[in-house]
Amino acid sequence: AEYMGLFLETLGSTMSTAEAPKKKYVHKKYTYRGITLEELLDKSGTELMEMFNARQRRRLSRGLNVKVRNFIQKLRKAKTNCAFGEKPAVVKTHLRNQIVMPEMVGSVAGVYNGKVFNAVEIKPDMIGHYLGEFSITYKPVRHGRPGVGASASSKFVPLK
């Protein structure tokens, strides 16, 4: 009888947790080092620069050249010319070493990988990284697939 009482108590405690309403999913706001995207957009260049890592700080302290300024201008123009709720036009660039800034978020950049321009949609998580990190320059190795001439029997493998 004592065992049955313990069983009913544990059953009752599990029932009450099951009846409790489930919490609604709340979208987590993006923060860069504890600062929201809106606050990042309001910061000046020097304030923003102080938040980046040493390599990015050094690069920004040496100034932005004409190519970088033109690229950012084109991104702004593409973003203002698109309708609300649509993705802006792709802005092609060879600037793989361009640091992703907060004002670039929401834009689409075509980053050259040596062969083609890969469309990269710039998200808040990319702030402080380089554009080249999101456009791979090589084709990853696929192990375990024999090529022509790999062995005597490989000449019978159909080519695709």
Side-chain angles (χ1 to χ4, degrees):
E2 192 175 315
Y3 172 75
M4 196 62 166
L6 287 173
F7 174 74
L8 290 174
E9 282 179 30
T10 56
L11 183 67
S13 64
T14 56
M15 290 292 277
S16 62
T17 56
E19 292 168 5
K22 289 185 179 179
K23 288 184 180 178
K24 193 174 180 182
Y25 173 76
V26 179
H27 181 67
K28 189 177 139 224
K29 279 226 172 232
Y30 174 77
T31 58
Y32 180 76
R33 303 196 179 197
I35 297 172
T36 62
L37 183 60
E38 291 79 27
E39 293 169 349
L40 285 172
L41 290 168
D42 295 336
K43 287 194 177 290
S44 68
T46 53
E47 290 176 322
L48 193 64
M49 193 173 78
E50 290 168 3
M51 298 180 65
F52 286 146
N53 293 333
R55 172 52 49 191
Q56 284 82 341
R57 278 199 310 270
R58 177 176 161 77
R59 166 89 186 280
L60 293 172
S61 68
R62 296 176 66 83
L64 299 175
N65 64 5
V66 176
K67 291 179 181 178
V68 172
R69 282 197 297 266
N70 287 344
F71 174 64
I72 291 174
Q73 252 179 348
K74 286 180 183 178
L75 284 176
R76 273 193 211 122
K77 188 176 178 184
K79 210 191 254 190
T80 55
N81 289 348
C82 76
F84 181 76
E86 288 184 17
K87 288 183 185 176
V90 176
V91 178
K92 291 182 177 182
T93 184
H94 281 249
L95 301 173
R96 295 177 56 81
N97 63 349
Q98 171 59 36
I99 299 162
V100 176
M101 307 297 277
E103 65 176 321
M104 297 165 75
V105 172
S107 303
V108 181
V111 184
Y112 194 65
N113 70 353
K115 186 177 180 183
V116 293
F117 290 92
N118 292 334
V120 175
E121 186 180 347
I122 300 171
K123 297 183 170 74
D125 303 343
M126 298 178 182
I127 294 173
H129 290 268
Y130 293 98
L131 284 177
E133 294 180 50
F134 307 105
S135 177
I136 194 166
T137 57
Y138 61 91
K139 189 176 176 185
V141 177
R142 298 175 72 182
H143 295 283
R145 301 190 187 269
V148 175
S151 65
S153 63
S154 67
K155 57 183 136 187
F156 302 110
V157 175
L159 295 172
K160 287 193 177 180

